[in-house]
Amino acid sequence: MNFIKNMFTKQYATYDYENIDLTRIPKHVAIIMDGNGRWAKKRGLPRTAGHKAGVEVLRDVIRTSSQLGIKYLSLYAFSTENWKRPQDEVNALMQLLVIYLRKEVQELHENNVKIHIIGDIDRLPENARMEIRSAFELTQNNDGLIVNIALNYGGRSEIIQAIKEISRQVKNNELEIESIDEQMFSRFLYTAGMPDPDLLIRPSGELRISNFLLWQIAYSEFWFSDIFWPDFSGKHLIEAIIDYQKRDRRYGGVK
């Protein structure tokens, strides 16, 4: 802990790092990476420039998460609704995914990070699927930070798919209806075996969930910021966690 603390104090010399409690770090942090297009527009740049800048943020956020001891980091990269965007923008996003994985996966692997994809990737281009499979295979035995990259992901779609699979198993007498409860239902989601997010972060000034992890965030703490994603950093992640640590999480009970 002292090593981590000294390292971060040096990295963020102007930030009051002493306010964070390293014994109360959230296990699972989810981030809606938003604001790339508006960041670019504000600078008179094409939207693709914003997406490129947003990708550069990932290294710092993942490194900070790993060093803090966060166990799961879920990143909303491409939703089921994002297919409605102009085709050239969608193509650019898919190419950025390929470039990012090729460039970063070895370093992620060397730092014990495990890449996990949540969402239906069958619709993604073949080269993107190949890079995803390669990243998964390379990092699958790592036991450090697990990075969930949400691609072609939608919370409603995830729930519907879970219901269909449960229904199929009930129909085939593989599952008793009476055995269906919240814990069992969670095993049919993309995040099966993972704790629900403790903290959901959304930069960019929007105050929506945008169909992200709808089942899993039932009791998550939310942290919103006006910062566009390309301007986000490990410093802001620390700021969100400090704010999270000030909250009294009662889960519907009374303390």
Side-chain angles (χ1 to χ4, degrees), residues 56-73:
E56 294 300 317
V57 174
L58 289 175
R59 178 181 294 176
D60 187 35
V61 170
I62 291 174
R63 181 176 61 239
T64 303
S65 299
S66 180
Q67 292 171 340
L68 283 173
I70 294 170
K71 300 300 182 183
Y72 302 88
L73 178 66

Side-chain angles (χ1 to χ4, degrees), residues 202-215:
R202 180 163 192 164
S204 85
E206 301 292 353
L207 304 177
R208 310 186 282 274
I209 306 308
S210 296
N211 202 18
F212 189 42
L213 300 175
L214 297 181
W215 175 274

Side-chain angles (χ1 to χ4, degrees), residues 33-190:
M33 302 183 294
D34 191 28
N36 294 342
R38 280 168 288 164
W39 179 92
K41 182 178 180 180
K42 187 176 179 180
R43 290 160 175 77
L45 300 171
R47 290 177 59 85
T48 52
H51 295 310
K52 290 178 181 178
V55 168
E56 294 300 317
V57 174
L58 289 175
R59 178 181 294 176
D60 187 35
V61 170
I62 291 174
R63 181 176 61 239
T64 303
S65 299
S66 180
Q67 292 171 340
L68 283 173
I70 294 170
K71 300 300 182 183
Y72 302 88
L73 178 66
S74 293
L75 304 170
Y76 204 7
F78 191 88
S79 74
T80 50
E81 291 78 24
N82 285 155
W83 295 107
K84 301 174 185 176
R85 295 186 176 187
Q87 190 60 50
D88 59 343
E89 183 175 348
V90 171
N91 292 342
L93 284 166
M94 293 297 132
Q95 188 58 29
L96 278 172
L97 170 64
V98 171
I99 293 171
Y100 174 79
L101 289 175
R102 286 177 180 172
K103 180 180 177 182
E104 302 291 339
V105 69
Q106 187 59 43
E107 182 177 344
L108 293 172
H109 176 53
E110 291 171 359
N111 285 280
N112 204 28
V113 172
K114 181 176 181 178
I115 299 296
H116 181 76
I117 303 298
I118 60 175
D120 181 6
I121 67 170
D122 288 343
R123 189 176 173 182
L124 270 57
E126 177 59 25
N127 62 339
R129 297 199 303 270
M130 288 178 59
E131 292 300 328
I132 288 168
R133 286 193 291 267
S134 177
F136 172 78
E137 291 171 2
L138 178 64
T139 65
Q140 62 182 326
N141 295 320
N142 294 341
D143 58 5
L145 172 68
I146 295 177
V147 176
N148 295 317
I149 304 177
L151 292 166
N152 193 25
Y153 173 89
R156 289 181 174 180
S157 175
E158 178 184 30
I159 291 170
I160 288 171
Q161 289 184 47
I163 292 171
K164 286 181 177 180
E165 179 57 24
I166 290 171
S167 300
R168 186 194 67 78
Q169 292 193 19
V170 170
K171 181 179 179 181
N172 293 337
N173 296 317
E174 299 171 9
L175 187 67
E176 295 290 335
I177 291 180
E178 291 74 15
S179 68
I180 301 174
D181 57 17
E182 292 183 13
Q183 184 176 6
M184 187 278 291
F185 187 85
S186 294
R187 296 201 296 267
F188 289 86
L189 301 175
Y190 291 121

Side-chain angles (χ1 to χ4, degrees), residues 9-51:
T9 302
K10 182 177 180 180
Q11 185 175 358
Y12 300 117
T14 61
Y15 191 75
D16 188 5
Y17 189 73
E18 297 297 325
N19 287 333
I20 195 167
D21 183 351
L22 293 172
T23 67
R24 296 178 55 236
I25 299 298
K27 290 183 179 178
H28 188 169
V29 174
I31 304 178
I32 299 174
M33 302 183 294
D34 191 28
N36 294 342
R38 280 168 288 164
W39 179 92
K41 182 178 180 180
K42 187 176 179 180
R43 290 160 175 77
L45 300 171
R47 290 177 59 85
T48 52
H51 295 310

